[in-house]
Amino acid sequence: MTTKLLLTFAICRLIVTVGLTVDPSELLLLGVDGQLSVDPFEVETASLDFGLLTRAEPMAVLHPGSADDIARLVRAAYISSHGFTVSARGHGHSINGQAQTSNGVEKHVEVWGGELWIDVLRSTLEHGLAPKSWTDYLYLSVGGTLSNGGISGQAFNHGPQISNVYELDVVTGKGEILTCSEEKNSELFHAVLGGLGQFGIITRARIALEPAPQRVRWIRVLYSNFSTFTRDQEHLISLHGNPISGKFDYVEGFVIVDEGLINNWRSSFFSPRNPVKISSIAGNGGVLYCLEITKNYDESTAGNIDQEVEALMKGLNFIPSSVFTTDLPYIDFLDRVHKAELKLRAKGLWEVPHPWLNLFVPKSRMADLDRGVFKGILGNNKTSGPILIYPMNKSKWDQRSSAVTPDEDVFYLVALLRSALDNGEETQSLEYLTNQNHKILRFCDDAGIKVKQYLPHYTTQEEWMDHFGDKWDQFYRRKMEFDPRQLLATGQRIFNPSFTSSTETVSPW
Ligand SMILES: Cc1cc2nc3c(=O)[nH]c(=O)nc-3n(C[C@H](O)[C@H](O)[C@H](O)COP(=O)(O)OP(=O)(O)OC[C@H]3O[C@@H](n4cnc5c(N)ncnc54)[C@H](O)[C@@H]3O)c2cc1C
């Protein structure tokens, strides 16, 4: 049986932007079904992203009415002598201007590339189903996360979102609309997944679903010893092959270098009446580590949830007095970051620069990173945002995709999700945080820690070649095949590192 749900097209979210060297009246002759806009407000809005670090003003913005609209625009760019470029814009949540069968039953949903994951969730829940693999934040577009990876605490078990896609429709850089999957146009399929928008614009995705759980038991426990913390995390993700009852559904964690961050913007979890004073269990060097785990359940399994959780936690070595538990509906857990977003927005603390740094770190070098970064470079500082740290299994990543991960079976996400504040505190300024990011990258380089950036940002082609390593030749060959005129997603600055904003881009959402 195949469950096929058709979601409404969120067409207005698929924007395409166009460069200065083309006369907008030429574009109007394209005769698109959607709306092509040169409205200064729209153009200005499309020129910024979540990072607020770069600005790239497009010439025009297309809200396509169909995949054909996108194909028409890309074809026009492909044959144009003016050399304008085209970039998909999902929800503009890039940091550095990059947008400028289970049991023989395959359940899936067909979604528009510009659809937000929160809307995918709401629609599938109506049918008692939900995607398997998530990001922490759901106000991101399907095309945007599939162009990177799409990771959260489920990735150790289900793999990233790019491992949970059956089929795509893609408008290539030649303006062709191609359907691709493992079986059909497979080179394009693997290229596009984790492909940073370089090979085509995803207009439709067929996403794997599972029966949706109803509730979530959400637990946080603290550690003062880093190796105990990572040993427990690694044990938990090694259980991925176990039956559902024999593993947690989500494994994440974060570093607490600053007590205030126990309640960070990712989610308000600890009660203000929390009886445990964090400073009373101060760790080694003042740094604590928080393991975050969940167990999903529904009415039929509610009777066993306490015993299942207890059995799974038995072998863990956290600080005994530091167990924090809450219980909530599945959708509230998945949408947890949005609640914090609304609070930050109300205080004017959301639309600030975000010099984020996301690293994939090989398991064998995590202790070095702890010494050099958490207790070294970041030690004794207010950190201006959460620092996530959780392991994943490389076997869950399809090596044929364009995504790049370290060369070890287990690697960690270390995500420094910091916001720059203009509050007079030097340690929270954009300049200070950016310098610290550089110091961290230099430390890894000097110590020979072979990290890979997730949501990568580089300024030279040498750095990009180094990032892709063995995969560079394939990445380059795929670019020549699917976008030979290098029209797509120039904001990533891979094939056009000297690309400067404001002159030549077109972003589609
Ligand atoms: C608050 C917040 C929380 C986040 N949490 C997570 C997380 O938990 N896990 C995680 O993995 N990531 C996370 N991210 C990062 C996020 O996945 C990426 O920034 C992603 O690119 C954002 O999607 P978007 O729709 O905003 O894409 P955009 O920023 O609009 O685009 C990103 C890139 O993808 C390209 N692109 C966009 N749509 C398409 C398409 N349809 N086809 C082809 N290329 C396309 C663009 O051209 C651009 O190069 C988070 C980001 C924010 C701001």
Side-chain angles (χ1 to χ4, degrees):
M1 187 192 83
T2 297
T3 307
K4 184 170 175 178
L5 311 174
L6 275 177
L7 296 183
T8 15
F9 272 19
I11 284 164
C12 61
R13 249 180 247 120
L14 192 65
I15 303 170
V16 185
T17 50
V18 185
L20 278 178
T21 49
V22 66
D23 179 346
S25 58
E26 276 185 41
L27 292 173
L28 295 174
L29 298 177
L30 285 175
V32 291
D33 304 327
Q35 191 204 343
L36 186 68
S37 169
V38 289
D39 175 81
F41 178 74
E42 284 222 48
V43 167
E44 172 66 17
T45 306
S47 70
L48 295 169
D49 63 20
F50 182 76
L52 285 184
L53 303 174
T54 59
R55 189 171 181 286
E57 191 170 297
M59 177 71 184
V61 170
L62 172 69
H63 299 265
S66 61
D68 280 330
D69 273 4
I70 301 174
R72 236 172 254 143
L73 180 72
V74 176
R75 242 179 272 132
Y78 186 59
I79 58 172
S80 165
S81 54
H82 299 299
F84 69 87
T85 58
V86 180
S87 290
R89 182 180 161 91
H91 205 40
H93 277 50
S94 295
I95 298 301
N96 292 292
Q98 290 92 334
Q100 287 125 23
T101 142
S102 62
N103 304 327
V105 180
E106 178 199 295
K107 298 187 183 77
H108 65 252
V109 61
E110 312 270 353
V111 298
W112 172 242
E115 197 83 58
L116 297 187
W117 283 100
I118 180 68
D119 296 326
V120 177
L121 176 62
R122 288 200 183 111
S123 303
T124 57
L125 280 180
E126 284 174 18
H127 302 264
L129 298 168
K132 301 173 180 177
S133 186
W134 290 100
T135 49
D136 291 345
Y137 175 64
L138 307 186
Y139 288 72
L140 303 169
S141 78
V142 170
T145 70
L146 294 184
S147 297
N148 285 291
I151 52 170
S152 183
Q154 303 83 8
F156 80 93
N157 185 29
H158 291 297
Q161 290 181 322
I162 54 172
S163 297
N164 290 277
V165 180
Y166 296 128
E167 188 179 276
L168 299 170
D169 279 350
V170 173
V171 176
T172 69
K174 297 176 183 170
E176 302 162 314
I177 308 178
L178 295 178
T179 298
C180 58
S181 65
E182 292 242 352
E183 291 80 33
K184 193 173 174 186
N185 293 315
S186 62
E187 186 74 16
L188 178 63
F189 182 67
H190 296 303
V192 163
L193 294 171
L196 306 174
Q198 294 305 302
F199 310 105
I201 295 171
I202 300 167
T203 55
R204 179 186 62 92
R206 181 178 290 179
I207 311 280
L209 300 179
E210 63 180 1
Q214 290 170 336
R215 293 195 67 84
V216 173
R217 181 68 54 83
W218 183 10
I219 302 143
R220 284 178 176 172
V221 292
L222 298 179
Y223 295 77
S224 57
N225 183 291
F226 187 69
S227 60
T228 313
F229 167 68
T230 49
R231 204 179 316 122
D232 278 1
Q233 279 194 320
E234 286 162 26
H235 163 69
L236 291 174
I237 72 155
S238 75
L239 303 177
H240 64 89
N242 284 12
I244 290 175
S245 61
K247 61 180 172 250
F248 281 110
D249 293 293
Y250 163 105
V251 177
E252 283 205 9
F254 52 94
V255 186
I256 307 165
V257 287
D258 170 359
E259 180 174 343
L261 286 173
I262 195 87
N263 244 331
N264 59 56
W265 62 258
R266 281 179 62 247
S267 57
S268 190
F269 179 96
F270 288 84
S271 150
R273 293 186 304 276
N274 180 351
V276 180
K277 183 99 179 82
I278 300 299
S279 49
S280 71
I281 42 177
N284 180 1
V287 177
L288 285 173
Y289 308 94
C290 180
L291 170 68
E292 184 173 70
I293 41 193
T294 71
K295 189 85 192 130
N296 300 335
Y297 67 102
D298 51 35
E299 277 162 19
S300 65
T301 52
N304 295 333
I305 183 72
D306 292 341
Q307 293 95 306
E308 282 182 13
V309 166
E310 205 177 303
L312 283 167
M313 290 182 67
K314 219 175 210 146
L316 304 181
N317 292 298
F318 49 85
I319 299 166
S321 60
S322 71
V323 183
F324 305 86
T325 302
T326 190
D327 201 288
L328 68 178
Y330 189 53
I331 186 166
D332 290 358
F333 172 71
L334 290 180
D335 199 25
R336 60 202 178 278
V337 173
H338 185 54
K339 290 205 182 76
E341 172 189 353
L342 296 178
K343 285 187 198 154
L344 286 181
R345 276 190 191 281
K347 292 185 201 158
L349 294 176
W350 186 257
E351 281 159 342
V352 297
H354 294 98
W356 285 5
L357 181 65
N358 288 274
L359 301 175
F360 285 159
V361 183
K363 162 188 145 173
S364 67
R365 302 303 305 270
M366 284 302 289
D368 298 318
L369 198 87
D370 177 51
R371 269 191 298 274
V373 176
F374 307 141
K375 299 199 180 100
I377 297 170
L378 301 178
N380 304 320
N381 268 325
K382 285 212 178 292
T383 56
S384 315
I387 303 172
L388 308 189
I389 160 170
Y390 59 88
M392 285 166 277
N393 295 303
K394 191 174 169 98
S395 61
K396 302 282 178 178
W397 293 66
D398 190 329
Q399 295 313 309
R400 295 169 296 179
S401 81
S402 294
V404 176
T405 57
D407 208 6
E408 278 187 24
D409 291 347
V410 169
F411 62 88
Y412 278 78
L413 171 75
V414 173
L416 292 101
L417 308 180
R418 306 186 295 170
S419 306
L421 300 178
D422 194 10
N423 60 2
E425 272 205 49
E426 192 215 337
T427 56
Q428 313 225 334
S429 70
L430 179 59
E431 194 187 351
Y432 186 87
L433 296 176
T434 309
N435 281 340
Q436 258 192 352
N437 286 346
H438 289 144
K439 269 192 203 160
I440 291 167
L441 289 170
R442 210 173 314 121
F443 164 78
C444 292
D445 211 23
D446 291 347
I449 306 176
K450 294 195 176 356
V451 300
K452 294 290 179 193
Q453 280 191 40
Y454 176 59
L455 313 171
H457 170 61
Y458 299 108
T459 50
T460 67
Q461 198 164 70
E462 288 67 37
E463 288 172 315
W464 278 111
M465 289 168 78
D466 190 46
H467 171 77
F468 284 105
D470 293 350
K471 280 188 159 181
W472 171 255
D473 287 348
Q474 180 192 54
F475 197 83
Y476 185 81
R477 188 172 38 76
R478 286 170 165 176
K479 183 72 175 177
M480 290 308 112
E481 183 173 352
F482 300 117
D483 181 25
R485 293 203 57 192
Q486 303 175 12
L487 306 172
L488 301 176
T490 48
Q492 300 281 3
R493 303 171 198 211
I494 302 175
F495 296 95
N496 53 330
S498 59
F499 155 81
T500 45
S501 61
S502 74
T503 48
E504 2 167 312
T505 208
V506 177
S507 151
W509 330 107

